[in-house]
Amino acid sequence: MSMAAAAAAITAVLLAALMARASAAAAGRVWADEEKGAHNGTARRQVTYDGRSLMLDGARRMLFSGDIHYPRSTPEMWPRLIESAREGGLDVIQTYVFWNVHEPIQGQYNFEGRYDLVKFIREIHAQGLYVSLRVGPFIEAEWKYGGLPFWLRGVPNITFRCDNEPYKVHMQKFVAKIVNMMKDEKLYYPQGGPIIISQIENEYKLIEGAFHSRGPPYVRWAAVMAVNLQTGVPWMMCKQDDAPDPIINTCNGLICGETFIGPNKPNKPALWTENWTSRYPLYGHDPRYRSPADIAFAVALFIARKKGSFVSYYMYHGGTNFGRFASSYVTTSYYDGAPLDEYGLIWQSTWSHLRELHAAVKQSEEPLLSGSYSTYSFGEQQEGHVFETESNCVAFLVNLDKHKTSNIQFGEASFQLAPKSISILSSCRRVVFETAKVNAQHGLRTAQVVQSLNNVDSWKIFKEPIPLAINNTTHIGHRFFEHLSTTKDETDYLWYLTRYDYRSNGDTQLVLNVESQAHVLHAYINNDYVGSAHGSHDGPRNIILKTPITLRKGQNSISLLSVMVGSPDSGAYMERRIFGVRKVSIQQGDHKSHSLNNELWKHQVNPDWLIWRNE
């Protein structure tokens, strides 16, 4: 065995031992809490789980959750958002923790205003709901850099999200800070607070293979690290089928009742951490809403097929991507078609239909979580799922056919099932909810002018002059500087400036060719605009500008404005991603193009770009 293989084997054994010790410690704390509660005569508070559900104080719970992100709304909105969620039948509010807003500068923290995580959780607690805290600290979430602070790029020898010591040091430090903050504020359930579960990492399985041998050890390390923080509540990993014990593996997606392979151990419950209520809007794309009937069908199928006991809607309220925090090509408005729209208003009929679903399921919580389970087949696309105790029974009658109504015999009665629908039968006899039958009326959102800003005298405009000079700057060299490394994420704009000595060679057409890995490019020759190009969310990374130009004999200025429409939020090796102008050339007729790549280029950061202001 090589030294590297031996070291890897030793590391694996140590991690396994640490995990076993952490699991045993967690179990020991539970028993200690039980003994303490018994001796004191006080009710113990604990969160455990088994193969059917999360358990609060030993009682299994059917939990409906919804994502509401505190930085995507204002503190003034939080009470009403949470109240509307509670009225919609939710038990839990789920949120990510946003590392890059809390530690924008290394060692300098911000938990104020929209970033006041403690205040947000306290408001949830005050309204009688629980919290699912997705610490990450990588979150993706269509959020700039997936929530990772930009300063991490400058840490020597760092590789994000793998078995890399520099990354693990900073990740562990931030996770521990959040956990300790929650402990200090007594916000975990065993302390009397509302946090009943936490998440470490996020959808890591999607990129784990890209890190080869440095992927699996990172998963095991993250699990050990999280459990050893001793929060007193379970940890989960979403889209991580091999989540190490005692971490719970969970599902994200549109149809987890069909795609989820299930818990990786029989003593773990089936949890759905992201049931997408619509799709986040992108620049250049039409909104893609999801019907309330489709959402309800997916939830009911997950409960029926997978014995699901926790479903979180992503998003329940999307809110607004304030400032520059949206990821690449994601619009300012986020999940406007969620049960609560961007403004926090109830989005009908989604909100009401899901509320009815929650009430129907809660009627049969006992058989769903404690009853025996059996399945029936009524045809190729019709099935039944029954949960039954000695005193109660609930049935889910499923029609998977998207086009035809189906008539089935169940027990002593016949039932007509609409296309793609699930009927929930209380006591296995009476239909209390049909996923395809939406009773609530569609809402109509209107707007009215509350303040007119049409007075032209109150407006000012500021324009930035197109830069021409290439002197007096530190960002200068015979190459193209990378966009993000140069701007340090202080602006989305970076100018690339050079001069070109044109020697006339006939009257043939001149063409400027630019290749960029930013999102938008604007080109100017001698202060005159000559063309633009832009990419798209689903298009190639490179954008190409080919535009005819006119040059005067002698010196000409070329000014290229590189623009980022948000930053990347996912993928392996994010710290290595490059953006900005990569190639520039001028083509004259059929002659070989003249490359400008090695000319002297100036890069100007932080332009006062076009600003409109009302005073």
Side-chain angles (χ1 to χ4, degrees):
M1 179 183 292
S2 68
M3 292 183 63
I10 292 170
T11 300
V13 170
L14 289 174
L15 281 169
L18 282 170
M19 182 62 78
R21 188 174 69 185
S23 298
R29 285 193 302 278
V30 170
W31 285 111
D33 288 345
E34 289 182 3
E35 266 188 42
K36 183 178 179 181
H39 288 310
N40 295 343
T42 58
R44 64 185 184 276
R45 287 177 63 91
Q46 59 175 333
V47 185
T48 54
Y49 61 80
D50 65 6
R52 297 298 284 268
S53 74
L54 295 176
M55 295 190 290
L56 304 183
D57 306 329
R60 293 183 178 129
R61 294 292 302 272
M62 175 68 68
L63 298 169
F64 291 104
S65 170
D67 275 75
I68 300 175
H69 295 163
Y70 54 100
R72 284 174 159 141
S73 54
T74 65
E76 293 77 14
M77 296 172 67
W78 294 344
R80 181 56 188 158
L81 290 173
I82 296 163
E83 181 183 14
S84 296
R86 177 172 52 80
E87 291 172 349
L90 296 195
D91 308 283
V92 182
I93 301 299
Q94 181 167 268
T95 184
Y96 282 122
V97 177
F98 295 74
W99 187 0
N100 55 7
V101 306
H102 293 309
E103 193 179 5
I105 300 172
Q106 186 175 358
Q108 298 183 24
Y109 297 97
N110 181 5
F111 290 92
E112 299 179 354
R114 293 200 319 277
Y115 309 146
D116 194 338
L117 175 60
V118 168
K119 181 177 181 178
F120 181 66
I121 293 176
R122 288 199 181 283
E123 180 61 39
I124 296 169
H125 193 202
Q127 297 205 34
L129 300 182
Y130 304 116
V131 171
S132 170
L133 192 66
R134 308 177 78 184
V135 180
F138 172 82
I139 60 173
E140 189 168 341
E142 294 73 58
W143 191 259
K144 178 167 67 177
Y145 236 50
L148 301 179
F150 189 80
W151 55 260
L152 272 181
R153 282 175 57 115
V155 174
N157 303 314
I158 196 166
T159 303
F160 297 167
R161 302 179 68 202
C162 70
D163 191 20
N164 170 265
E165 287 305 316
Y167 179 74
K168 292 193 297 184
V169 165
H170 290 288
M171 172 182 168
Q172 182 171 6
K173 181 181 178 183
F174 181 74
V175 172
K177 180 174 183 63
I178 294 299
V179 167
N180 289 332
M181 178 184 292
M182 299 300 104
K183 287 182 180 179
D184 292 343
E185 298 291 338
K186 294 181 168 48
L187 294 177
Y188 285 107
Y189 186 83
Q191 300 176 291
I195 303 173
I196 60 171
I197 192 167
S198 295
Q199 178 178 302
I200 192 70
E201 250 296 335
N202 190 55
E203 297 188 344
Y204 187 69
K205 200 69 176 179
L206 299 179
I207 64 165
E208 183 176 345
F211 294 108
H212 306 290
S213 62
R214 294 196 295 173
Y218 170 70
V219 174
R220 295 191 292 270
W221 170 84
V224 172
M225 182 267 289
V227 172
N228 281 339
L229 289 172
Q230 301 185 11
T231 63
V233 303
W235 286 88
M236 58 185 174
M237 286 183 172
C238 61
K239 280 193 175 180
Q240 192 67 35
D241 300 336
D242 60 352
D245 292 340
I247 309 294
I248 304 169
N249 61 297
T250 72
C251 186
N252 288 0
L254 286 167
I255 50 173
C256 283
E258 301 173 51
T259 60
F260 186 41
I261 66 169
N264 61 23
K265 289 292 177 64
N267 67 326
K268 296 180 183 180
L271 311 183
W272 189 354
T273 35
E274 289 188 17
N275 179 9
W276 303 329
T277 53
S278 64
R279 298 305 298 268
Y280 56 88
L282 300 168
Y283 286 107
H285 288 225
D286 293 329
R288 293 180 290 173
Y289 298 115
R290 192 178 180 192
S291 73
D294 188 58
I295 301 172
F297 178 90
V299 173
L301 191 65
F302 179 71
I303 294 170
R305 277 188 177 177
K306 306 297 181 180
K307 302 187 187 73
S309 57
F310 178 100
V311 177
S312 192
Y313 300 102
Y314 192 98
M315 299 289 298
Y316 199 78
H317 165 70
T320 304
N321 291 313
F322 295 104
R324 298 173 47 249
F325 280 105
S327 65
S328 301
Y329 298 108
V330 172
T331 63
T332 303
S333 175
Y334 188 65
Y335 273 90
D336 188 37
L340 302 178
D341 73 6
E342 180 180 6
Y343 310 100
L345 304 174
I346 288 174
W347 185 270
Q348 296 288 23
S349 52
T350 302
W351 182 87
S352 290
H353 194 55
L354 295 179
R355 179 180 62 171
E356 293 174 18
L357 169 65
H358 304 153
V361 171
K362 288 295 184 73
Q363 284 185 37
S364 302
E365 189 169 16
E366 181 204 2
L368 283 170
L369 300 181
S370 301
S372 61
Y373 173 69
S374 55
T375 61
Y376 299 84
S377 176
F378 304 108
E380 290 186 4
Q381 299 190 77
Q382 292 76 38
E383 60 191 44
H385 303 265
V386 176
F387 300 80
E388 188 171 13
T389 63
E390 291 184 0
S391 59
N392 205 348
C393 176
V394 61
F396 291 71
L397 303 183
V398 182
N399 182 12
L400 296 165
D401 193 318
K402 298 179 181 180
H403 307 290
K404 295 180 181 178
T405 299
S406 178
N407 295 295
I408 66 167
Q409 187 75 25
F410 177 70
E412 299 179 355
S414 60
F415 296 90
Q416 186 177 77
L417 307 181
K420 194 184 179 183
S421 71
I422 299 177
S423 292
I424 301 177
L425 278 59
S426 177
S427 301
C428 289
R429 293 191 302 271
R430 181 173 60 90
V431 176
V432 292
F433 184 80
E434 298 176 59
T435 61
K437 185 179 179 181
V438 180
N439 297 313
Q441 296 290 322
H442 285 278
L444 178 65
R445 185 170 65 190
T446 60
Q448 63 181 20
V449 175
V450 294
Q451 181 181 0
S452 175
L453 300 176
N454 294 334
N455 186 350
V456 70
D457 293 333
S458 67
W459 288 92
K460 292 183 179 180
I461 184 170
F462 297 85
K463 287 186 177 180
E464 178 196 11
I466 308 302
L468 299 174
I470 60 171
N471 299 315
N472 303 320
T473 179
T474 57
H475 305 289
I476 190 167
H478 292 275
R479 62 184 177 90
F480 302 117
F481 283 33
E482 196 275 326
H483 186 124
L484 289 181
S485 299
T486 306
T487 64
K488 305 297 183 186
D489 196 37
E490 294 176 357
T491 173
D492 290 325
Y493 303 100
L494 176 64
W495 283 102
Y496 291 78
L497 314 165
T498 193
R499 290 190 179 277
Y500 176 62
D501 188 12
Y502 174 58
R503 298 172 183 268
S504 178
N505 188 13
D507 297 327
T508 52
Q509 178 66 62
L510 298 171
V511 176
L512 176 67
N513 300 307
V514 184
E515 180 180 327
S516 174
Q517 290 185 359
H519 300 145
V520 180
L521 180 79
H522 301 295
Y524 302 82
I525 301 292
N526 297 325
N527 220 18
D528 293 326
Y529 171 78
V530 294
S532 295
H534 65 81
S536 65
H537 183 271
D538 301 320
R541 287 188 58 192
N542 286 9
I543 58 174
I544 305 294
L545 172 66
K546 291 181 179 291
T547 185
I549 59 173
T550 300
L551 298 177
R552 61 196 179 204
K553 190 174 182 179
Q555 289 288 316
N556 294 264
S557 67
I558 300 176
S559 306
L560 305 175
L561 181 60
S562 174
V563 185
M564 297 291 291
V565 185
S567 300
D569 68 340
S570 61
Y573 303 105
M574 286 177 61
E575 72 286 343
R576 302 181 189 176
R577 294 279 299 275
I578 58 174
F579 297 91
V581 173
R582 310 309 302 162
K583 297 178 181 178
V584 179
S585 65
I586 292 178
Q587 178 88 36
Q588 183 173 4
D590 296 329
H591 297 286
K592 182 180 179 181
S593 62
H594 177 70
S595 173
L596 304 184
N597 296 349
N598 297 320
E599 297 293 328
L600 186 66
W601 286 92
K602 171 198 172 185
H603 306 78
Q604 182 169 312
V605 182
N606 247 357
D608 298 322
W609 190 232
L610 186 63
I611 300 172
W612 293 83
R613 186 172 69 189
N614 177 257
E615 293 184 340

